[in-house]
Amino acid sequence: MTDLFRRLPASCWSSIDGGLALEGVSVSAIAAEVGTPFYLYSAKRLRENYRALADALAPIGVSVHYAMKACGNRAVVSILAEEGAGADIVSGGELTRALAAGIPAARVVFSGVGKTDVEIAQALRAGVQQLNAESYEELWRIDEIARGLGVVAEVALRVNPDVDAETHAKITTGKKDNKFGVDADRLGRLDNELKAMANVRLVGLAVHIGSQILSTRPFERAYARMGELVRDLRSRGHDITRLDLGGGFGIPYQNELAPTPADLARTIAATVGDLGLELAVEPGRSIVADAGVLVSRVEFVKDGGHIQFAVVDAGMNDLVRPAMYDSHHDIVPVRLPQAGGAEVEYDVVGPICESSDTFVKRRKLPKLAAGDLVVMATAGAYGASMASTYNARALVPEVLVDAGRFAVVRRRVSLEEQLGWESLPTWG
């Protein structure tokens, strides 16, 4: 396939009768049965991405906990569970999803800045591997809830190392002015406060500095700082045995260069590999992003005079990342264009009543017409998981392909069903 298809992994994508096929299944055939828009995932690519990272990290003893927020579909997570992945969760709902997908509670790490009493109790009853506390206030809350349940909670304290992740401001999480973690300079409070917490056992530290990080430099700085903190806490008598290194491993959406699994392994080994710790990472995007696409149909090609608008049936409610982050997604026609065919510059837009409902601006694409199918590449992460029913639209379905078969793994939720979720008040 040509450079137009560079974001569609060649190991999974091919052509059948002049059209795109995923793992040997025609995208057009799926669209004819399921309707558009829909998310489409490759089981093969999920396994490839997970194995590449897990195999690179295994020699230095790093376990992989998939970040459920990237894509929490049970069918997707179950594939990773079969591969041996643990889970990183940020809500009680994600805990329920992880367990339902086959990830044992003992392989679940619960992160997040605003865990409720109910969620903390749910996690302790389930027996999760650890809670990543993000504040001293949360430590006290965990201690109180654990005491009420008659258990001792194993906790890692998330530290904010004040490291610039060199990424988009909205997905930076390791600077002093971000809401995440305890300031690295305030760990001295642990010496006294932990003495009063009979139902909390501090087993480690955790860090996560952001998402879509395209250089090892921020990781080097953050991990080196964490190594210093581990040594200092140990010198003060704290039995630190675990270090959660977070995720944020970037991927190419355009022509970016991203760290390879081998690069990450070398960085971890060089910074904290000599501390004798149980190490873990929390990748999400790097596992699932290029394993998924959003398939949409062109409704109209509108001649705007100086602009050609390709109006598709997917909206920002289905894929919000371009509106929220100005993210880039390659757009590829399902019917393969003829070599040397004419290209047209389009704004590709959706039907939502917002100017932000724009997927690309001034993008040169093969000539499009009403009825053509297109795929928006590298949409597996934060696509379906952030989808909504804005403008009273149906909730977008998800489809999984595995070795020549496809299955709907989340059906389209119609407006009629959504109305059933609501009720009119019956005043007395």
Side-chain angles (χ1 to χ4, degrees), residues 93-109:
E94 287 188 349
L95 174 56
T96 299
R97 282 189 170 276
L99 298 177
I103 294 179
R107 294 273 291 144
V108 173
V109 172

Side-chain angles (χ1 to χ4, degrees), residues 399-415:
V399 178
L400 178 71
V401 175
D402 192 357
R405 306 164 295 175
F406 79 89
V408 176
V409 294
R410 182 176 76 184
R411 60 185 172 78
R412 196 180 307 276
V413 182
S414 68
L415 176 59

Side-chain angles (χ1 to χ4, degrees), residues 310-324:
V311 184
V312 298
D313 64 359
M316 61 183 279
N317 70 297
D318 303 307
L319 178 61
V320 75
R321 295 187 69 255
M324 184 177 292

Side-chain angles (χ1 to χ4, degrees), residues 229-312:
L229 295 174
V230 168
R231 292 183 183 92
D232 180 60
L233 287 173
R234 283 176 167 175
S235 72
R236 303 206 314 261
H238 297 283
D239 187 18
I240 304 299
T241 61
R242 303 177 194 169
L243 181 57
D244 184 340
L245 297 167
F249 312 143
I251 61 158
Y253 284 92
Q254 300 185 65
N255 298 311
E256 308 98 325
L257 293 177
T260 67
D263 293 332
L264 295 167
R266 283 191 291 270
T267 299
I268 294 170
T271 51
V272 294
D274 63 342
L275 295 176
L277 293 161
E278 297 176 39
L279 299 171
V281 292
E282 303 167 357
R285 182 195 311 266
S286 61
I287 301 295
V288 76
D290 73 356
V293 300
L294 177 62
V295 182
S296 185
R297 188 180 303 274
V298 178
E299 294 290 348
F300 305 98
V301 175
K302 173 185 172 181
D303 184 354
H306 65 295
I307 302 174
Q308 297 292 305
F309 294 97
V311 184
V312 298

Side-chain angles (χ1 to χ4, degrees), residues 42 63 66 68 72 95 137-138 171 191 226 254 328 331 346 363 399 401 407 426:
S42 166
S63 62
Y66 170 65
M68 295 277 293
L95 174 56
E137 292 78 6
E138 186 182 0
I171 50 177
D191 293 351
M226 297 306 292
Q254 300 185 65
H328 176 101
I331 295 181
Y346 294 103
R363 181 82 59 85
V399 178
V401 175
T426 55

Side-chain angles (χ1 to χ4, degrees), residues 6 30 32 34 45 54 64 100 117 137 139 147 157 180 220-221 234 253 269 291 296 314 338 358 380:
R6 62 191 181 278
I30 299 174
V34 176
R45 188 60 175 173
V64 178
D117 289 6
E137 292 78 6
L139 277 176
R147 183 166 60 252
L157 187 64
F180 302 94
E220 290 166 0
R221 292 194 293 269
R234 283 176 167 175
Y253 284 92
S296 185
Q338 294 182 348
T358 299

